[in-house]
Amino acid sequence: PWGLVVLLTLQMTPPFLELRGRGRSTRVFAIHMGLCVAMLIAGLALLQTSEPGGTRGLVAIGLLTAAVLIRSGCVPVHCWMTDLFEHATLGTALLFVTPMAGAYAAMRLVFPIAPEEALRTIAIVSLVTAVYSAGMALVQREARRFLCYLFLSNASLVLVGVELATPIGLTGALCVWVSVVLSLAGAGLTLRAIESRAGRLSLGEYHGLYDTMPSLAVFFLLTSLASIGFPGTIGFVGAELLVEAAVGTYPVAGMLVVVAAAMNGIAVMHAYFHLFTGASHPTVISLEARWPEWLAVAALSICIVGGGLFPQVGVSHGYHAAVELIHRRSHAFELRSSANSLPPGAILHDHE
C-alpha cells in the first residue's frame, strides 16, 4: 500500500510541472491532489496502528475512501479534472486520467477491507457522478470539456461495478475499465490530431470537417461509441454485465446506469455532428491523417473491435480477477472477526 501511495504521488508531478511551466494556475490541481495524498497517508497510518473494527479503523477507511473519490474526480470534487483538460496539453491530461489510478487505488486499498456502508457510499457518489457528467457532456460547447465529462461519466461506472462486490459486477467493471481506457484514449488522440489542424473546437457551431479529414471522423465516432458499449465493440459485453449486476443488486442503480449510458450516447452523436457535419470548408492542403496518427488510432481501433468480436478472453481474465478480489475481501473479514487475538494492523499486514 505504501508503494502505491508513492507511485500515485509521483504520477501527480508531471501535470503540476507542466501547468506551472505553461504559466497556468496550479491552485485547483495542487489543492485537490495534495488533499488526496494527505488523506491516503493519514488513512494508511491510522489503519496500521488501529484495532481491527475499531473507531480509528473506521476513520482510516473513511479517509481512504475520500482520497479515492477525489482522485477519481467524483462529484463534487471533480473540478480539478476539468481544470486540467482546460489548461494542460491534451496529451498530458489523457496520460494522467485514462489509466484510472483512482479505481486501481479503490480496488487495492479500499475494497478488501471496507465495510458495506463504505462501498455503498462510493457506489452512490459514483452513480450521481455518472449521471451528472453525462448530462454535462450533453450541454458542453467546447470539445475538450465534452471529452472530459464523457470520461468522468464512464469512469464512474467502473467504480459502481467495483462497489457492487459481486463476481458479475466486478467482471463488468474490469471489462468496462479496459474499454474506457482504450476507447477514450483513442477519442482523445483523434481530437488532438484534429486540434493540431483546426485549433480548439467549439461545439456551438457546425465545422463540417468530414470532407477534409474523413478517416479522423470515422476514428472519432468508433472510439467514442465504444466508450458507451456500442454493439460490436469491446465495451458492449462489459456494459451488459455491469447493467445485469446493478439491476440484480439495486434495481434503481441499474436504471441510473442505463440512463447515464443513453445520455452519453446522445452526447457522442451531438459532438460528432457538430465537428464533422454541416457547412463544408474546402482547403488547399491535405488535412488527412498522417501515418503516425493512422498507426496509433488504428491500433486502438483494432483492439476495440477485436475485443468486441472475441470477448471471451477478456471476460475470462476479468472473472478470475473478480473472484480473487472477492476472496481477498472475505479473507480480510475473517481476520477481522478474530480481532481479539490479532495485534494492531494485522489486517493491513496480511493484505500486503
Side-chain angles (χ1 to χ4, degrees):
W2 286 110
L4 178 58
V5 172
V6 171
L7 292 175
L8 286 172
T9 304
L10 292 176
Q11 189 194 22
M12 300 169 187
T13 305
F16 176 81
L17 294 178
E18 180 179 301
L19 288 172
R20 191 171 65 175
R22 290 166 60 90
R24 304 300 178 91
S25 174
T26 59
R27 181 181 303 174
V28 174
F29 184 80
I31 289 175
H32 285 81
M33 294 300 102
L35 187 61
C36 175
V37 172
M39 287 182 170
L40 285 174
I41 294 174
L44 283 180
L46 278 176
L47 198 61
Q48 284 188 326
T49 58
S50 64
E51 294 290 341
T55 302
R56 294 181 66 182
L58 294 177
V59 173
I61 292 173
L63 289 172
L64 293 175
T65 300
V68 165
L69 292 177
I70 293 174
R71 184 62 182 81
S72 300
C74 291
V75 172
V77 286
H78 66 289
C79 57
W80 69 266
M81 193 174 291
T82 56
D83 181 83
L84 182 66
F85 270 81
E86 184 71 22
H87 296 121
T89 59
L90 187 55
T92 297
L94 289 172
L95 284 172
F96 186 71
V97 303
T98 50
M100 285 189 273
Y104 183 75
M107 290 185 178
R108 285 293 309 276
L109 301 179
V110 179
F111 181 80
I113 59 175
E116 293 295 331
E117 292 76 11
L119 295 184
R120 192 175 299 114
T121 299
I122 294 178
I124 292 173
V125 175
S126 301
L127 274 174
V128 172
T129 302
V131 177
Y132 168 82
S133 300
M136 290 297 291
L138 270 173
V139 299
Q140 290 306 304
R141 299 178 66 85
E142 205 273 329
R144 280 199 184 192
R145 292 179 69 88
F146 154 77
L147 183 65
C148 175
Y149 280 111
L150 183 66
F151 172 82
L152 265 178
S153 181
N154 286 281
S156 298
L157 294 179
V158 174
L159 282 179
V160 172
V162 170
E163 310 317 327
L164 290 175
T166 63
I168 298 298
L170 272 172
T171 304
L174 292 171
C175 293
V176 171
W177 189 346
V178 175
S179 167
V180 171
V181 170
L182 291 175
S183 58
L184 290 184
L189 288 174
T190 305
L191 182 61
R192 182 63 188 90
I194 297 170
E195 283 188 351
S196 69
R197 294 157 171 77
R200 293 202 178 189
L201 296 169
S202 168
L203 299 181
E205 56 183 307
Y206 290 90
H207 297 277
L209 297 176
Y210 184 88
D211 290 339
T212 55
M213 47 185 83
S215 58
L216 291 177
V218 173
F219 283 143
F220 180 84
L221 185 61
L222 172 64
T223 53
S224 299
L225 288 177
S227 68
I228 62 172
F230 192 79
T233 64
I234 192 173
F236 177 68
V237 174
E240 288 293 310
L241 291 173
L242 188 60
V243 170
E244 179 182 347
V247 170
T249 308
Y250 307 110
V252 176
M255 181 186 69
L256 292 177
V257 169
V258 173
V259 168
M263 288 197 294
N264 283 330
I266 297 172
V268 165
M269 297 310 302
H270 174 267
Y272 174 80
F273 287 136
H274 278 78
L275 291 176
F276 297 104
T277 66
S280 178
H281 302 284
T283 61
V284 295
I285 60 174
S286 174
L287 299 181
E288 262 292 357
R290 296 183 290 271
W291 72 264
E293 297 164 341
W294 261 97
L295 185 62
V297 184
L300 289 171
S301 300
I302 291 172
C303 294
I304 290 169
V305 177
L309 297 178
F310 305 99
Q312 295 88 349
V313 176
V315 173
S316 176
H317 283 288
Y319 180 76
H320 288 303
V323 171
E324 177 65 21
L325 284 169
I326 293 175
H327 173 71
R328 292 185 181 185
R329 176 175 169 82
S330 301
H331 184 56
F333 275 87
E334 288 175 3
L335 289 176
R336 182 176 298 177
S337 66
S338 56
N340 292 332
S341 61
L342 291 175
I347 291 180
L348 180 63
H349 295 157
D350 180 81
H351 178 52
E352 290 176 340

